[in-house]
Amino acid sequence: MQPETFRIEDLQVEGRLVPAYLIAPSPLQTRGRRLAWPEDFGWTKRRRSPTSDLWRPLKEADNEVGMRILLFSGKGGVGKTSIAAATGLQLSCLGHRTLVMSVDPAHSLADAFDLETGLFQDRTSDPYPIDDRLSIQEVNIQKEIKRHWREISTYVVSVLRTTGISDVEAEELAILPGMEELSAMMYVNQFRREQRYEVIVLDCAPTAESMRFVSMPTTLEWYMKHVFPFQRGLLKAVRPVANRISPVELPPDSYFANIQDLFGRLEGIAELLEDAKTTSVRLVTNPEKMVLRETQRAFVYFSLHGLTVDGIIVNRVLPPAITDAWFEEWRASQARIQREIEEYFAPVAVKCVPLFIHEVLGRERLQELASVLYAEKEDPAAVTRTETPYTFEKRNTHYEVCLRLPFATKGEVGLFKKGDELVVEIGALRRHVGLPTSMASLTPTRATLQNRMLTVEMKEV
């Protein structure tokens, strides 16, 4: 295969002059090798003709953005997978090269498309084409261990064997928490660099695991900067002596090399997730109090981690066609919860999806769900929100909650604390701000409104 030629403009990038022409193999030939690609300099490819691809710097004023990541999260059983699959279909119908990736260990994405597969199958462990523009992938941890985690897994298995458990049990226990999430992140980063897809839809695990997914890059980065070099250097020095007297051998240097390689594959993923023009979170919920409470907590945690929630999808709402008296209490309860949802999450957009008369299974019914969820030409990848509704900060002696109130004046704003929520009143409207655990016991002591930004100080009293 002949290398592709990309025409680019001379540009000074970080003190270096980029040449007028760059010749490199296509992205699919570069696995395992680090090459300088135009997107590494913050450029984007714009198609001008069937035979020519012109690369140019991406400017803030551009209407187009790079690869989009849509992250669907929520309590288990609310219908995340069906919503994510229907969103993927809508995107492919609009012409986007789309991948729907399941990060939930209990995969059901292939089941949603009603693919004829076995109970435990691996056809979708790599991107599996549904049509010309849509693929699905279910991260298979056993395959990922062989691909990315071999040295780490081998050492963990060797340690577990010394306890007397069988080889099969040792291999199962060697699947450490976070391996699946990190493997998914590596694929997202790889596909971004290759520009293989325009949109990646992430069907996440239930809320708690989703939190681990978004917090892991920051945690790993801290470990690599502060602990990893010291730990690797120390064990390199003491390993020859320690292995003679220790009942368990210390991890070899190849173990640390594997960790370093994995970290390199994740480089930049934290910034990608926190970039509101790239990543948007969509929370799926049901009109039930227990589900709503978890959705509210998820909203707080995603805001705490710097991600932008740009949509709330209320699934399985009783439609008006159901008039049976048996459902009257359900209907009243759902109406009350829907009002709470609108009040709590404003100004984030809320969409309602009715309860269908049949199971949403297979492409035809997923397309029906997509037609209810989105207007005919509505693009789920459009950037509709880039600002978080509120942020949390820690100062020397107190914490602060910062809220944007674009139309408020000082005389209109009132606030009080109710349980683990901060309630802000603006005229007849109320905003409920769920507080993270570290702030739930604090009391608001001072509030200021400047430049349409409300800052509330929280202290122990």
Side-chain angles (χ1 to χ4, degrees):
M1 183 183 292
Q2 292 294 320
E4 297 181 20
T5 302
F6 300 101
R7 179 178 176 83
I8 59 179
E9 301 172 1
D10 289 338
L11 185 70
Q12 199 79 15
V13 179
E14 296 180 356
R16 294 173 296 166
L17 184 66
V18 179
Y21 289 89
L22 175 70
I23 299 178
S26 67
L28 296 178
Q29 293 178 288
T30 65
R31 293 179 180 175
R33 291 189 292 161
R34 179 75 173 109
L35 297 176
W37 281 89
E39 63 263 37
D40 292 337
F41 299 108
W43 295 1
T44 184
K45 184 163 68 173
R46 303 298 171 87
R47 184 166 296 281
R48 294 298 180 85
S49 72
T51 58
S52 173
D53 289 323
L54 179 67
W55 290 83
R56 67 178 179 81
L58 177 65
K59 299 188 174 93
E60 287 293 324
D62 289 335
N63 291 325
E64 298 179 40
V65 295
M67 188 186 81
R68 287 279 278 141
I69 301 172
L70 306 180
L71 195 155
F72 286 84
S73 180
K75 186 176 174 65
V78 296
K80 294 186 304 296
T81 300
S82 297
I83 297 292
T87 300
L89 280 173
Q90 175 77 358
L91 289 162
S92 70
C93 289
L94 294 175
H96 295 295
R97 297 190 315 275
T98 306
L99 174 70
V100 183
M101 180 188 293
S102 172
V103 191
D104 190 341
H107 298 301
S108 55
L109 191 55
D111 297 330
F113 282 95
D114 204 17
L115 300 182
E116 294 297 329
T117 61
L119 188 60
F120 300 101
Q121 50 80 35
D122 60 1
R123 288 168 60 193
T124 56
S125 58
D126 291 309
Y128 180 89
I130 299 297
D131 58 38
D132 291 343
R133 291 183 295 271
L134 176 64
S135 298
I136 65 172
Q137 182 177 8
E138 299 174 314
V139 177
N140 185 317
I141 191 57
Q142 295 294 347
K143 284 196 171 184
E144 297 312 312
I145 286 176
K146 295 176 183 178
R147 290 172 177 171
H148 305 301
W149 305 85
R150 186 178 297 275
E151 296 294 338
I152 297 172
S153 178
T154 299
Y155 173 70
V156 174
V157 168
S158 69
V159 172
L160 291 172
R161 281 173 179 162
T162 64
T163 66
I165 66 176
S166 69
D167 289 352
V168 174
E169 290 174 317
E171 289 175 0
E172 288 295 321
L173 291 172
I175 302 175
L176 303 177
M179 280 185 171
E180 207 141 17
E181 290 88 346
L182 287 173
S183 297
M185 287 184 189
M186 285 189 281
Y187 279 117
V188 170
N189 229 11
Q190 174 188 331
F191 296 149
R192 175 185 67 88
R193 289 169 176 167
E194 295 174 354
Q195 293 199 339
R196 191 186 303 189
Y197 301 104
E198 294 171 317
V199 188
I200 293 182
V201 178
L202 294 177
D203 173 27
C204 288
T207 309
E209 288 80 2
S210 296
M211 293 305 102
R212 185 171 64 188
F213 179 83
V214 300
S215 65
M216 202 165 283
T218 304
T219 304
L220 184 60
E221 184 176 7
W222 183 91
Y223 167 78
M224 294 300 294
K225 287 182 178 179
H226 298 93
V227 179
F228 180 82
F230 171 77
Q231 193 177 43
R232 186 177 189 180
L234 177 64
L235 289 184
K236 188 174 184 180
V238 305
R239 190 181 292 113
V241 177
N243 282 346
R244 296 196 196 107
I245 59 176
S246 173
V248 179
E249 287 194 359
L250 297 179
D253 197 60
S254 59
Y255 170 95
F256 292 96
N258 194 178
I259 293 176
Q260 193 167 35
D261 175 64
L262 293 174
F263 182 69
R265 294 171 185 264
L266 290 168
E267 186 177 1
I269 192 70
E271 292 79 7
L272 200 68
L273 292 176
E274 293 177 11
D275 181 2
K277 292 183 179 178
T278 300
T279 303
S280 297
V281 178
R282 314 269 165 90
L283 297 179
V284 183
T285 188
N286 296 148
E288 301 172 19
K289 185 173 182 179
M290 187 182 299
V291 182
L292 173 59
R293 291 294 290 167
E294 182 158 331
T295 307
Q296 291 170 333
R297 285 190 286 269
F299 190 77
V300 172
Y301 293 141
F302 279 116
S303 298
L304 192 60
H305 285 290
L307 278 75
T308 300
V309 178
D310 71 351
I312 308 294
I313 300 170
V314 187
N315 195 23
R316 299 174 187 150
V317 178
L318 289 176
I322 298 179
T323 57
D324 195 304
W326 195 87
F327 290 99
E328 284 183 6
E329 189 171 342
W330 268 111
R331 189 183 302 283
S333 172
Q334 287 198 355
R336 184 177 65 255
I337 296 299
Q338 283 181 267
R339 287 193 296 270
E340 287 186 31
I341 290 172
E342 294 283 353
E343 182 180 82
Y344 185 93
F345 295 106
V348 177
V350 176
K351 290 190 173 187
C352 293
V353 177
L355 177 68
F356 284 73
I357 61 173
H358 48 65
E359 185 178 4
V360 180
L361 195 66
R363 181 177 182 125
E364 183 177 341
R365 289 182 174 176
L366 286 172
Q367 198 75 61
E368 182 184 352
L369 171 58
S371 67
V372 171
L373 189 57
Y374 304 105
E376 184 179 357
K377 297 297 182 181
E378 183 179 353
D379 189 352
V383 179
T384 59
R385 187 172 187 84
T386 58
E387 294 179 348
T388 54
Y390 47 78
T391 58
F392 306 100
E393 297 180 12
K394 184 177 181 180
R395 302 299 182 186
N396 293 331
T397 59
H398 63 273
Y399 289 83
E400 289 183 353
V401 183
C402 301
L403 300 89
R404 292 188 178 277
L405 303 177
F407 305 110
T409 60
K410 289 183 179 180
E412 297 175 329
V413 180
L415 63 90
F416 61 93
K417 188 168 178 286
K418 180 182 178 182
D420 58 358
E421 294 182 351
L422 184 68
V423 182
V424 180
E425 293 181 328
I426 311 168
L429 301 177
R430 282 187 177 182
R431 287 280 301 279
H432 294 253
V433 179
L435 299 173
T437 306
S438 58
M439 299 174 64
S441 61
L442 303 181
T443 302
T445 57
R446 184 171 177 266
T448 58
L449 181 64
Q450 292 182 343
N451 299 322
R452 302 296 187 262
M453 178 70 75
L454 178 67
T455 303
V456 183
E457 292 186 5
M458 306 285 291
K459 293 182 179 181
E460 289 186 4
V461 177

